[in-house]
Amino acid sequence: MLIITAAVLVVVNWEKIIAPFRDAALNTGEGGFPISLPGSASYVLDSLGTNFYLLTDTYIYTYNADGAQIAGIQHGFQNPSVTSGEKRALVFDKNGKGFKVYSRSAEVFSKTLDDTIVFAKMGKNDHSAVITTASRYSNYLCVFNDEGKQVFRYASPTEKIMQVCFSDNENFVYISVVGEKDGELESAVLCFDITKEQNAVWREYIGNALTYSLEYCSDGIYGITEQGMFLLDASSGKMTAQSSFSQSVSGICKTDGTRVVFFRDTAFNGDTAAAYDSRLASVNTRSFDSVSSFDISKGILYVLSKNKLYAYSDMLKSERVYELDDDYSRVKIIGGYAYFLGYNSVQRIAL
């Protein structure tokens, strides 16, 4: 009886058991850079752990760090959009109802929902959040685990969900919402424990501005609005720091060693990057005539401007310039390398 039970468990969980071994045994080919781009109307280049992927209008391609293709899988969506974590990438049909989750080598699961997908957010590991329209509510938030099972759902009849992020262990989900009170916008952040069926753990008012980004960090929940930035204690929701903006936000960096926000500078028709300390006080700025793309890694801000990559360390005080072999539109830092998306190729340089 025990042997039969064990055999059934192995069969049921076979895909989950074999997935790590399948990835480890991949035949990825020779690799090398530059990589010629497949034909597509548009491309997205981003990281998947130490690997990277390309999303095209018909396929998602995954590569290892040396440029060897791991997989090329047709997603089948008309308006594909993507969000990714360390282990998984979620591709969804924007303004459609379907989404698919991929590892670096295969499709993990797919879903077709009852309502139209507005946006999605992949957790650091394998949980995913999908926000949809709703007939009786402002919108729905559905959280799925690594097997595609829905483990949490939230909806509000009066407030729209603007941003979502997970805790590192993915037991908690944080949601920024916007509603109306006395004719004025009112924004808040809510925390839910998705392992329990309960009301919000906490709710914190953050002002009357729309939220542009929400991020779980080691020092709390970090958010950017159209009017400023804030930091909330992850356990209690208490506001621990905040700062206001005097210019329009044009770009937001993830937190990795420092915090940087880009602003549109109308005085010289360019962009200004500002670095902030742990108390969200601006400590230094840099101005740019042209910014094609940017990324941040281990406290160093990388700014791509056509055929040059600028690296700023020590809170934007120190500068280093890398001369590139061509003009590029996107940069992504993975490990000790910078990966570039060009007109017809992907290139890599060591940093």
Side-chain angles (χ1 to χ4, degrees), residues 77-98:
F77 296 134
Q78 290 187 343
N79 299 295
S81 189
V82 65
T83 170
S84 57
E86 292 292 319
K87 298 180 179 179
R88 299 285 187 264
L90 184 155
V91 180
F92 64 96
D93 200 1
K94 197 168 186 180
N95 298 320
K97 297 181 178 181

Side-chain angles (χ1 to χ4, degrees), residues 85-87 121-128 165-174 191-192 194-195 214-221 234 255:
E86 292 292 319
K87 298 180 179 179
K121 179 70 174 182
M122 193 75 219
K124 183 177 180 181
N125 295 309
D126 47 31
H127 278 62
S128 52
C165 67
F166 289 97
S167 60
D168 280 350
N169 63 11
E170 297 181 343
N171 288 337
F172 295 88
V173 63
Y174 304 88
C191 168
F192 291 93
I194 65 173
T195 67
L214 197 68
E215 183 182 1
Y216 178 88
C217 304
S218 60
D219 56 350
I221 309 304
T255 301

Side-chain angles (χ1 to χ4, degrees), residues 240-258:
T240 58
Q242 61 184 136
S243 180
S244 60
F245 298 150
S246 59
Q247 295 174 299
S248 298
V249 176
S250 61
I252 302 168
C253 292
K254 66 179 181 180
T255 301
D256 190 350
T258 190

Side-chain angles (χ1 to χ4, degrees), residues 45-336:
L45 168 70
D46 215 329
S47 61
L48 192 60
T50 59
N51 307 292
F52 68 96
Y53 65 85
L54 276 173
L55 179 72
T56 74
D57 50 13
T58 52
Y59 280 80
I60 181 170
Y61 297 91
T62 57
Y63 301 83
N64 69 13
D66 295 321
Q69 184 177 316
I70 299 170
I73 308 168
Q74 192 168 11
H75 52 68
F77 296 134
Q78 290 187 343
N79 299 295
S81 189
V82 65
T83 170
S84 57
E86 292 292 319
K87 298 180 179 179
R88 299 285 187 264
L90 184 155
V91 180
F92 64 96
D93 200 1
K94 197 168 186 180
N95 298 320
K97 297 181 178 181
F99 74 94
K100 298 178 180 180
V101 172
Y102 300 91
S103 70
R104 65 174 185 155
S105 61
E107 180 184 310
V108 180
F109 68 86
S110 65
K111 292 283 183 182
T112 300
L113 305 179
D114 294 331
D115 300 293
T116 302
I117 299 173
V118 180
F119 72 96
K121 179 70 174 182
M122 193 75 219
K124 183 177 180 181
N125 295 309
D126 47 31
H127 278 62
S128 52
V130 180
I131 293 81
T132 70
T133 59
S135 56
R136 292 183 299 167
Y137 297 92
S138 293
N139 50 13
Y140 277 125
L141 163 70
C142 300
V143 176
F144 299 88
N145 66 11
D146 60 338
E147 298 174 339
K149 179 183 177 182
Q150 183 178 300
V151 295
F152 179 79
R153 188 174 186 176
Y154 170 78
S156 169
T158 59
E159 295 178 321
K160 281 193 174 294
I161 299 168
M162 302 301 296
Q163 301 293 333
V164 175
C165 67
F166 289 97
S167 60
D168 280 350
N169 63 11
E170 297 181 343
N171 288 337
F172 295 88
V173 63
Y174 304 88
I175 308 167
S176 69
V177 297
V178 62
E180 185 181 350
K181 185 177 181 181
D182 299 329
E184 298 288 336
L185 290 180
E186 183 175 86
S187 294
V189 175
L190 292 79
C191 168
F192 291 93
D193 183 344
I194 65 173
T195 67
K196 302 174 183 178
E197 290 292 335
Q198 61 177 25
N199 295 326
V201 177
W202 52 257
R203 176 189 176 101
E204 180 71 9
Y205 170 74
I206 57 170
N208 57 2
L210 298 179
T211 309
Y212 289 158
S213 70
L214 197 68
E215 183 182 1
Y216 178 88
C217 304
S218 60
D219 56 350
I221 309 304
Y222 168 59
I224 301 288
T225 75
E226 57 186 339
Q227 296 179 354
M229 57 172 60
F230 61 86
L231 190 64
L232 307 178
D233 182 86
S235 299
S236 66
K238 180 182 177 182
M239 185 84 69
T240 58
Q242 61 184 136
S243 180
S244 60
F245 298 150
S246 59
Q247 295 174 299
S248 298
V249 176
S250 61
I252 302 168
C253 292
K254 66 179 181 180
T255 301
D256 190 350
T258 190
R259 292 185 167 110
V260 176
V261 179
F262 283 80
F263 299 96
R264 188 63 183 167
D265 196 327
T266 56
F268 70 101
N269 197 29
D271 292 277
T272 296
Y276 294 82
D277 64 15
S278 60
R279 300 301 304 166
L280 304 187
S282 177
V283 294
N284 203 17
T285 61
R286 287 273 183 173
S287 295
F288 305 92
D289 293 330
S290 174
V291 176
S292 304
S293 176
F294 56 83
D295 199 7
I296 195 165
S297 177
K298 297 179 180 179
I300 301 175
L301 173 68
Y302 295 89
V303 177
L304 175 65
S305 181
K306 296 182 179 179
N307 63 347
K308 289 184 173 62
L309 180 67
Y310 299 89
Y312 299 96
S313 57
D314 191 25
M315 300 295 279
L316 307 187
K317 295 175 184 176
S318 301
E319 180 186 74
R320 179 177 179 181
V321 182
Y322 297 86
E323 298 285 345
L324 308 177
D325 63 347
D326 203 348
D327 289 357
Y328 294 96
S329 61
R330 167 115 171 112
V331 61
K332 185 65 186 177
I333 310 302
I334 308 172

Side-chain angles (χ1 to χ4, degrees), residues 1-9:
M1 183 66 179
L2 289 174
I3 293 174
I4 294 174
T5 303
V8 170
L9 288 173

